Amino acid sequence: MAEDSGAEKTEQPTPKKLQDAAKKGQIARSKDLGTAFVLIGSAAALLVFGKMLAMAMLNIGQRMMRLDQKDIFETNSMFTAWGDAGRELAAPLSGIFILILIAAFVGNTLLGGFNFSWEAAGPKASKMSPIQGFKRMFGLQALVELVKSILKVLVVVGIAYLLLKVFFMDIMALSLMSEPNNIESALYFLAWLFLGLCASISVIAVVDAPYQVWNHTKQLKMSLQEIKDEHKNSEGSPEIKARIRRTQMQMSMKRMMQQVPTADVIVTNPTHYAVALKYDQGKFRAPAVVAKGVDEVAMHIRKIASEHKIPIIESPALARSIYYTTKLDHPIPEQLFAAVAQVLAYVFQLNLYRKGKGSRPKALAKELPIPEDVRH
């Protein structure tokens, strides 16, 4: 069925629509949120490992500026110095790198979760189209990005001015301090200034993240016709499903009718209900229902039973009880054992009588022992 593209898209996207979009790489993402996490993670890393990094840099500076007679005549002294510098910087830089890596992963998966799509990574003709490029440059999304960029500049400049004003005297006092305190303090102030500037970016991210979720949902909204078409494609059209059900019922009915000639007795209502019972001691400990039905199906069961000379017993209460309490190819419940036993005993005696091997059995009782809890 053709998709109704002109219909108004007012419905929320279905789980299947969201799943298909994720496979194409279309998920809610906030670049500002990821950037804010990376920057704040970097500032936090400097606060945690800043002192260690400062001491490592101080040791490296002192080592590089110190020259003795041994270093002059040692050809490998330069490589040894670089090795020492690498060992000094390994621990603080590794810690900073790991914290930034964790922040980057969390920031980029916090909204939309982790998702990788080969389809999104592949080349697209629309991205190389000049017309599509102009639409992206002058569209609503471009306008939103422009507004966000202006807000970023204003917020960052404002926060930077406030931070410099607060820490101005402390920064100027660094020139009066001696090493290594001046290096540690400088990195300390740098980290806090950096953290303040990064926190200002988070203000934009807090606004941008809900907008990206709303915009993503808006782009994936569906019309009522699209939802109907999706349901048909996933579940199958009602016409085909109905045809399959009819075919299954016909096959099941055919198999059931093939079991009627094997039954020991047919219990009827006498016109509306009919159940076929068979007592197979090797399969069930009680008689089982091999066929059952109402109205036309019941009439067809009685017809087949008559053709194959299967005894037909009229017992309305028992027929209804068996029909409603016992599934096809299942044994009858214990509550009906006594009533069905009387029916089967009568049928077996009747068969012996017809073969001339016994006396005529007494008529079956009109009121069979059927408990109230299984009566229908």
Side-chain angles (χ1 to χ4, degrees):
M1 181 178 293
E3 188 175 303
D4 189 9
S5 58
E8 186 177 359
K9 300 179 184 293
T10 57
E11 305 302 315
Q12 294 295 320
T14 60
K16 184 178 183 303
K17 178 81 169 182
L18 294 173
Q19 185 178 4
D20 292 342
K23 291 180 180 179
K24 298 177 182 178
Q26 299 175 3
I27 57 175
R29 283 281 189 252
S30 174
K31 295 180 180 179
D32 293 311
L33 184 63
T35 302
F37 264 83
V38 170
L39 293 176
I40 293 175
S42 302
L46 283 177
L47 286 173
V48 174
F49 297 99
K51 184 176 180 180
M52 187 185 300
L53 180 62
M55 296 306 299
M57 293 174 63
L58 177 62
N59 293 336
I60 292 172
Q62 291 176 345
R63 173 70 178 84
M64 293 300 180
M65 295 300 176
R66 187 174 61 245
L67 187 66
D68 53 25
Q69 185 177 6
K70 180 181 177 181
D71 293 330
I72 295 174
F73 294 99
E74 179 63 44
T75 57
N76 296 326
S77 60
M78 180 183 297
F79 300 103
T80 303
W82 281 112
D84 295 339
R87 284 188 291 272
E88 288 283 349
L89 293 174
L93 290 181
S94 298
I96 292 173
F97 175 77
I98 292 173
L99 281 181
I100 294 175
L101 186 64
I102 294 173
F105 180 80
V106 173
N108 285 281
T109 57
L110 187 62
L111 188 66
F114 179 79
N115 183 72
F116 179 79
S117 171
W118 286 107
E119 187 173 347
K124 290 184 179 180
S126 60
K127 293 182 178 180
M128 296 181 286
S129 172
I131 298 176
Q132 295 295 331
F134 278 113
K135 288 182 179 180
R136 288 192 294 267
M137 290 173 60
F138 300 101
L140 178 61
Q141 186 65 27
L143 179 61
V144 172
E145 294 297 329
L146 176 62
V147 173
K148 286 196 304 181
S149 299
I150 296 173
L151 289 176
K152 287 179 191 177
V153 173
L154 294 176
V155 171
V156 171
V157 170
I159 295 297
Y161 174 77
L162 291 176
L163 290 173
L164 288 174
K165 188 174 182 180
V166 171
F167 291 106
F168 180 76
M169 298 306 298
D170 295 321
I171 295 174
M172 296 303 295
L174 290 175
S175 60
L176 303 176
M177 300 173 64
S178 58
E179 62 172 359
N181 293 331
N182 57 349
I183 298 178
E184 293 180 15
S185 299
L187 286 175
Y188 176 79
F189 286 128
L190 178 62
W192 277 106
L193 289 171
F194 186 35
L195 182 61
L197 292 175
C198 295
S200 65
I201 298 296
S202 65
V203 176
I204 306 297
V206 169
V207 178
D208 182 64
Y211 168 77
Q212 294 298 337
V213 174
W214 172 84
N215 187 50
H216 176 68
T217 304
K218 179 184 176 183
Q219 291 177 352
L220 296 180
K221 275 191 173 182
M222 306 171 67
S223 64
L224 289 173
Q225 185 60 44
E226 287 176 335
I227 294 178
K228 291 179 181 179
D229 292 343
E230 180 186 284
H231 181 73
K232 286 183 179 180
N233 292 332
S234 59
E235 300 293 336
S237 67
E239 295 81 6
I240 295 177
K241 291 174 67 177
R243 188 181 304 168
I244 292 174
R245 283 196 299 268
R246 286 196 301 270
T247 304
Q248 290 174 341
M249 289 179 63
Q250 291 172 357
M251 295 175 64
S252 177
M253 187 69 63
K254 184 178 180 181
R255 287 194 300 268
M256 186 179 70
M257 292 304 174
Q258 289 173 350
Q259 297 298 318
V260 174
T262 67
D264 295 317
V265 64
I266 309 297
V267 183
T268 65
N269 192 27
T271 56
H272 296 293
Y273 294 85
V275 291
L277 299 176
K278 182 180 181 180
Y279 186 32
D280 187 352
Q281 296 182 1
K283 188 175 182 181
F284 296 113
R285 65 185 184 90
V289 175
V290 295
K292 67 176 184 176
V294 296
D295 297 333
E296 293 182 2
V297 178
M299 183 177 66
H300 195 44
I301 291 175
R302 292 194 302 270
K303 180 181 178 182
I304 296 176
S306 299
E307 293 174 354
H308 291 81
K309 298 181 180 181
I310 307 297
I312 301 175
I313 303 298
E314 295 183 4
S315 178
L318 182 59
R320 290 194 299 268
S321 297
I322 296 175
Y323 182 85
Y324 286 109
T325 61
T326 310
K327 295 181 179 179
L328 198 64
D329 294 327
H330 282 69
I332 61 173
E334 293 183 3
Q335 296 93 321
L336 298 176
F337 279 5
V340 173
Q342 292 186 26
V343 173
L344 290 177
Y346 173 78
V347 170
F348 292 151
Q349 291 176 10
L350 184 61
N351 288 335
L352 291 175
Y353 170 73
R354 289 175 177 175
K355 294 177 181 179
K357 298 181 180 180
S359 59
R360 186 182 184 88
K362 295 181 180 180
L364 187 67
K366 293 183 179 181
E367 292 294 333
L368 296 174
I370 302 174
E372 290 295 331
D373 59 338
V374 292
R375 282 183 177 272
H376 288 80

